[in-house]
């Protein structure tokens, strides 16, 4: 069963935009970690395509778009090349990573949810897969870069904005209100919520009534 929410070109544009901004975030993190050019390209590719690969395998869209669309493979390499030659000064890299990562999170939670629904999943399952699309590449990136995935620690609410954005899309679909404007609202909401969480250090709660004397790991 398929539901045509957008013309194919719109879905493709959303995917490409998310791929580019996530690839840029991954490449910038590689620069911060002093990876070489190969490491920069690998981290850009994994960050950009990891969530989409997971989504496509779950919904049965095989071969995944990352392998069937040359533009999906080339876009992260273009982003990696731009970062390699034009990355900001070192003290500005963290801010750039956060902005691009937040943009990717907003774009992918929306595109992942809509594509899952178009392939016949229910609203709840579609939203869950939208979240997986948004955070999957970041998890793989963090593991390869030697860090604890942000999804598990959810510092400064990494996953929550994706949940909000994907849930908004599911609600818009359920009420037959999904269009270009409401799609943009969901993307911007997830993006702004993530940036506000970074700016004001919002985070998901720790275990209830935690009294451990062991300091939290950095």
């Amino acid at each position: 069963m398929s539901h045509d929410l957008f013309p194919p070109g719109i879905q493709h544009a959303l995917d490409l935009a998310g791929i580019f901004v996530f690839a840029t975030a991954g490449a910038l993190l590689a620069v911060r970690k002093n990876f070489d050019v190969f490491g920069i390209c690998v981290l850009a590719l994994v960050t950009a395509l990891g969530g989409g690969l997971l989504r496509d395998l779950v919904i049965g869209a095989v071969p995944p778009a990352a392998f069937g669309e040359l533009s999906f493979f080339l876009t992260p390499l273009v982003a990696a090349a731009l970062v390699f030659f034009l990355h900001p000064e070192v003290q500005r890299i963290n801010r750039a990573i956060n902005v691009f990562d937040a943009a990717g999170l907003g774009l992918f939670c929306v595109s992942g949810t809509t594509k899952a629904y178009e392939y016949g999943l229910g609203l709840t399952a579609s939203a869950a897969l939208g979240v997986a699309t948004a955070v999957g590449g970041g998890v793989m990136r963090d593991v390869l870069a030697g860090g604890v995935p942000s999804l598990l620690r959810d510092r400064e609410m990494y996953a929550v904005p994706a949940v909000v954005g994907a849930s908004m899309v599911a609600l818009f679909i359920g009420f037959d209100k999904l269009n270009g404007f409401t799609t943009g609202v969901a993307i911007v909401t997830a993006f702004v919520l993530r940036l506000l969480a970074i700016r004001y250090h919002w985070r998901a709660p720790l275990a209830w009534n935690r009294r451990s004397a062991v300091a939290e790991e950095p």
Side-chain angles (χ1 to χ4, degrees), residues 113-165:
T113 303
T114 56
K115 186 168 183 178
Y117 186 75
E118 287 171 349
Y119 271 76
L121 271 66
L123 293 177
T124 301
S126 295
L129 200 52
V131 174
T133 305
V135 304
V139 169
M140 297 178 192
R141 172 197 66 200
D142 292 343
V143 170
L144 287 176
V148 177
S150 299
L151 175 66
L152 300 181
R153 298 289 290 275
D154 211 11
R155 285 181 169 171
E156 295 163 342
M157 295 205 312
Y158 183 73
V160 170
V163 172
V164 171

Side-chain angles (χ1 to χ4, degrees), residues 1 29 92 133:
M1 181 180 179
L29 180 60
R92 295 170 55 198
T133 305

Side-chain angles (χ1 to χ4, degrees), residues 29-132:
L29 180 60
V31 170
R32 193 184 78 186
K33 293 282 187 176
N34 292 319
F35 289 1
D36 61 18
V37 63
F38 184 74
I40 292 171
C41 290
V42 167
L43 220 57
L45 284 164
V46 167
T47 308
L49 302 179
L53 281 171
L54 173 62
R55 173 200 64 202
D56 289 349
L57 290 173
V58 170
I59 64 179
V62 291
F67 296 103
E69 290 276 351
L70 184 61
S71 59
F72 284 4
F73 187 78
L74 291 179
T75 299
L77 297 180
V78 170
L82 290 174
V83 170
F84 182 80
F85 290 108
L86 303 174
H87 69 80
E89 297 175 1
V90 174
Q91 60 266 30
R92 295 170 55 198
I93 289 178
N94 278 342
R95 179 175 296 178
I97 291 172
N98 289 334
V99 172
F100 279 99
D101 194 58
L105 204 70
L107 286 161
F108 268 14
C109 73
V110 169
S111 68
T113 303
T114 56
K115 186 168 183 178
Y117 186 75
E118 287 171 349
Y119 271 76
L121 271 66
L123 293 177
T124 301
S126 295
L129 200 52
V131 174

